Amino acid sequence: MPPFVNKNLANLFSLSKSKQYIYPLGPIWIKPHLCIDEQKRPTPVRRQLSLDQASLGMVHPSGGRTGDWDKAMESGVIWMISPEPSVSLLTRYQFPSKSLLLAVCSACIGGTFQYGYNISIINAPTQSVQKFLNQTWLERYQTSISEQVLTLLWSTIVSIFTVGGFIGASIGGTLSIKLGRKGMLLANNVFAITAALLMGLSYPTGVFELLIIGRLLIGINAGISLCVQPLYLGEIAPTALRGAMSMGTSISITGGILTGQVIGLRELLGREEYWPILLSTSCIPAFLQLLSFPCFPESPRYLLIDKGDNEGCNNALKQLHGKDNFDIEREDMERERVMAAGVQAQKPWVLFRNHSLSWQLLTVILLNSAQQLNGINAIYFYADYVFKQSGIPDDKIPYATVGTGACECITALTCGMLIECLGRKVLITGGYALMSICCILFTLTLTFQDASPLVPYLSMACVFAFILSFGLGPGGVTNILTTELFTQTTRPAAYMIAGSVNWLSFFFIGILFPFIVTGLQQYCFLVFLVVCSLMGIYIFLVVPETKNKSFLEIHNEFQSRDKRKPLSADGPRTILFSTQL
């Protein structure tokens, strides 16, 4: 019989009053397993479990299941068994609690909603802001601004948002450890309010530099939000609803884009004289979050694992999940705390030296790069041209653009409803596959645009099909996978890396895209075809399905790729595993 190789397992058994996973079927027969006797020695046991008793957690050095008992005995399988009421975990968490839903909404309104909103509203006042720049330059220097300087200033106002986003992503993870997820999201509103004030004052003061500073600050706000908000949503949601709740990030981004498109219409704040008000409206979501978010608790995982606050964790779980359900997630957190005992939150550069995280890190980097380089920006660039070719008048094109925003928002909502049913891997792989097909079709329709009166309408259909595919797959699932592929001590650093890569890719495509379009014209979509195809193949071959799995189970699936690497000097690597439904 193998030795009891990991001292943490004793602690693990002492806190397994197991209410973790429940089989929804009838009586089941468990292979011979090891329990801990009164002297804390492993003892083989054979036992039949009824539905009321079938609550299991397992530690397995190879990360596999116990199909072959002889091999399992050699590798040191340990089963933990305890009674549990016969209530299915899936039934128990069929719907989120009201408090959990409101917490998600409050986190999103002042979080990633700002990202989508501030990307969108800068498009409507383009000509008005450029006129303000020309007027200010003339008053200041008594000469008209040159075309090159005007283009440079406008490009700086737009692109400085990306620089701010990169800065925010670089500091968001570290600050979320020091201030907490909730504390950082609340403090982040200072950037949004200050930015709104500066941009609103730029016109009455005649200082266009305030626009640049304001856009930089709102970019920092967006970068921190994209880093910290998914952390918070992933950590407050129960395992069975983690995907659906984490979709709040994608839904709020698309909701922000759509809201910005609507408010930027001429019937609302799209008129020339209203542009300072339009740019300063980003303070409204910030004030809404400051008023509502203090009513909700800090992330329970952060309280328990990072701060060691047992009572605070219990209170947060009771508020978010209900008094009858909180113990399910509490035990999962306990196991993760035991495995992370003595390990502090890691820095981004440490993750690159940790070979056990190589696959997770590579996956997150590729996912976030591809999210910006997959052609979605090119689709929006060509959308106006396609709408014109389809016979839509110039003054009606903004309404058609609102249609694309509504399409992406509806798709994000649909993804949120499907993700716990179909799983992450199916959605994101299928999304990239459909985007690859759309790239081919869009290239053909743009090439033969004048061949038939019907071709422009086919191009328009390709625009909406590509947006739908992006929303169902990469747009919705990428942030969720970044949350799920890492454990508590590595997740903030992973989000700093993912966010930095995402913003750098955003900046990179913004700089190079005009040259790509000029050089390749409609054939630029063949480049995006390669990106989408390769990304879909990689996900299909490498990334495991994460639906209904704890963070430790997902972590172990990646670690099991290299079973020969020891985890510590005192014995072979021990992988924590819990049975799934």
Side-chain angles (χ1 to χ4, degrees):
M1 187 174 296
F4 193 49
V5 296
N6 193 324
K7 61 183 180 181
N8 282 334
L9 295 182
N11 299 329
L12 186 66
F13 276 95
S14 67
L15 45 87
S16 73
K17 305 207 171 160
S18 202
K19 293 184 180 179
Q20 180 60 21
Y21 294 99
I22 309 116
Y23 281 88
L25 305 176
I28 57 174
W29 180 262
I30 299 301
K31 293 271 188 177
H33 52 277
L34 299 178
C35 288
I36 301 300
D37 61 16
E38 295 179 355
Q39 287 76 37
K40 294 188 176 180
R41 295 176 300 180
T43 305
V45 180
R46 181 183 292 271
R47 182 177 178 182
Q48 185 177 6
L49 300 178
S50 68
L51 176 61
D52 287 341
Q53 296 171 320
S55 175
L56 308 175
M58 182 174 73
V59 177
H60 197 307
S62 66
R65 297 187 180 278
T66 56
D68 187 333
W69 172 241
D70 293 332
K71 293 181 180 179
M73 283 289 290
E74 294 174 1
S75 59
V77 175
I78 302 176
W79 288 87
M80 296 180 295
I81 301 175
S82 63
E84 168 67 17
S86 54
V87 180
S88 170
L89 180 65
L90 291 179
T91 302
R92 180 177 291 191
Y93 280 128
Q94 187 174 3
F95 299 104
S97 68
K98 180 180 177 180
S99 179
L100 179 60
L101 276 177
L102 292 176
V104 170
C105 292
S106 181
C108 290
I109 191 62
T112 51
F113 179 89
Q114 292 275 35
Y115 169 74
Y117 184 72
N118 285 282
I119 283 180
S120 180
I121 61 171
I122 197 63
N123 295 320
T126 299
Q127 295 182 354
S128 301
V129 173
Q130 289 180 351
K131 184 177 179 180
F132 163 69
L133 293 173
N134 193 12
Q135 178 184 346
T136 304
W137 191 276
L138 181 61
E139 293 175 355
R140 187 180 297 181
Y141 301 107
Q142 287 75 49
T143 182
S144 297
I145 191 171
S146 66
E147 189 69 26
Q148 292 81 2
V149 175
L150 179 61
T151 303
L152 176 62
L153 286 176
W154 174 245
S155 299
T156 302
I157 291 172
V158 174
S159 60
I160 199 72
F161 178 81
T162 308
V163 177
F166 177 78
I167 295 172
S170 300
I171 63 176
T174 301
L175 292 176
S176 71
I177 297 171
K178 293 182 178 180
L179 302 179
R181 286 39 162 167
K182 175 185 175 182
M184 188 61 247
L185 286 174
L186 287 172
N188 192 31
N189 291 298
V190 173
F191 292 107
I193 295 172
T194 306
L197 182 64
L198 293 176
M199 290 188 288
L201 290 175
S202 61
Y203 180 75
T205 59
V207 182
F208 61 77
E209 289 84 357
L210 294 180
L211 273 177
I212 299 174
I213 300 173
R215 288 286 293 176
L216 175 66
L217 292 178
I218 201 65
I220 294 175
N221 171 273
I224 292 175
S225 296
L226 276 173
C227 178
V228 181
Q229 183 196 298
L231 269 176
Y232 181 77
L233 298 189
E235 292 177 4
I236 67 172
T239 301
L241 294 173
R242 191 171 59 229
M245 295 298 98
S246 296
M247 275 301 300
T249 298
S250 178
I251 294 171
S252 60
I253 291 174
T254 56
I257 292 174
L258 178 60
T259 304
Q261 290 172 340
V262 173
I263 291 180
L265 294 175
R266 291 188 60 82
E267 289 80 358
L268 297 174
L269 296 178
R271 297 181 184 178
E272 180 179 338
E273 62 270 23
Y274 291 155
W275 72 262
I277 301 175
L278 176 63
L279 295 183
S280 63
T281 52
S282 57
C283 67
I284 297 175
F287 283 123
L288 288 176
Q289 187 177 70
L290 286 173
L291 290 173
S292 62
F293 204 40
C295 301
F296 301 101
E298 177 59 89
S299 159
R301 286 183 179 272
Y302 173 79
L303 291 172
L304 180 66
I305 300 175
D306 291 80
K307 293 298 182 181
D309 185 355
N310 286 279
E311 183 178 357
C313 174
N314 287 337
N315 293 335
L317 285 171
K318 289 177 183 178
Q319 181 178 349
L320 293 170
H321 300 171
K323 295 182 179 179
D324 297 330
N325 298 332
F326 82 96
D327 51 349
I328 298 176
E329 295 300 319
R330 180 68 162 79
E331 185 174 338
D332 181 53
M333 295 178 195
E334 286 284 4
R335 286 206 295 272
E336 189 171 347
R337 182 172 72 164
V338 169
M339 299 304 288
V343 180
Q344 295 183 346
Q346 297 185 19
K347 303 296 183 182
W349 52 87
V350 177
L351 265 59
F352 286 102
R353 299 199 301 264
N354 190 338
H355 296 296
S356 66
L357 299 175
S358 298
W359 283 108
Q360 294 98 309
L361 206 54
L362 176 62
T363 299
V364 164
I365 291 173
L366 291 177
L367 282 172
N368 282 273
S369 299
Q371 192 176 31
Q372 296 295 340
L373 305 178
N374 56 27
I376 188 65
N377 298 295
I379 284 290
Y380 281 113
F381 177 84
Y382 271 101
D384 285 0
Y385 167 75
V386 170
F387 294 150
K388 288 180 181 178
Q389 291 295 105
S390 302
I392 298 177
D394 288 350
D395 61 334
K396 301 298 181 184
I397 286 179
Y399 301 97
T401 304
V402 170
T404 62
C407 174
E408 191 172 357
C409 189
I410 292 172
T411 308
L413 288 168
T414 305
C415 183
M417 293 185 286
L418 294 177
I419 194 164
E420 297 298 354
C421 175
L422 299 179
R424 289 71 156 148
K425 189 170 184 176
V426 171
L427 286 176
I428 194 168
T429 306
Y432 274 117
L434 291 174
M435 290 166 69
S436 301
I437 296 172
C438 290
C439 284
I440 297 173
L441 296 178
F442 202 43
T443 302
L444 292 175
T445 56
L446 289 176
T447 302
F448 301 103
Q449 193 75 10
D450 300 324
S452 169
L454 294 177
V455 175
Y457 296 99
L458 294 176
S459 297
M460 188 187 298
C462 287
V463 168
F464 284 95
F466 193 97
I467 293 171
L468 285 168
S469 303
F470 174 79
L472 278 174
V477 182
T478 298
N479 281 318
I480 298 174
L481 288 178
T482 306
T483 299
E484 294 182 326
L485 298 186
F486 295 88
T487 54
Q488 190 74 13
T489 56
T490 58
R491 194 176 298 119
Y495 261 103
M496 292 171 67
I497 295 172
S500 299
V501 169
N502 197 303
W503 285 102
L504 283 175
S505 301
F506 193 1
F507 182 78
F508 176 79
I509 197 68
I511 294 295
L512 291 186
F513 179 68
F515 299 100
I516 296 174
V517 172
T518 302
L520 299 177
Q521 296 182 356
Q522 71 270 22
Y523 298 106
C524 68
F525 285 95
L526 297 180
V527 177
F528 303 129
L529 168 65
V530 174
V531 173
C532 292
S533 300
L534 291 178
M535 198 66 234
I537 293 171
Y538 175 85
I539 294 169
F540 179 78
L541 295 177
V542 175
V543 180
E545 178 55 69
T546 60
K547 182 183 72 171
N548 287 337
K549 294 179 182 176
S550 69
F551 294 126
L552 286 172
E553 288 179 294
I554 298 165
H555 177 73
N556 292 341
E557 287 200 37
F558 277 99
Q559 283 200 336
S560 64
R561 293 176 181 276
D562 189 359
K563 301 176 184 178
R564 294 173 296 177
K565 289 185 178 181
L567 184 64
S568 58
D570 61 346
R573 177 176 58 199
T574 302
I575 296 179
L576 183 65
F577 190 90
S578 295
T579 57
Q580 63 177 358
L581 294 174

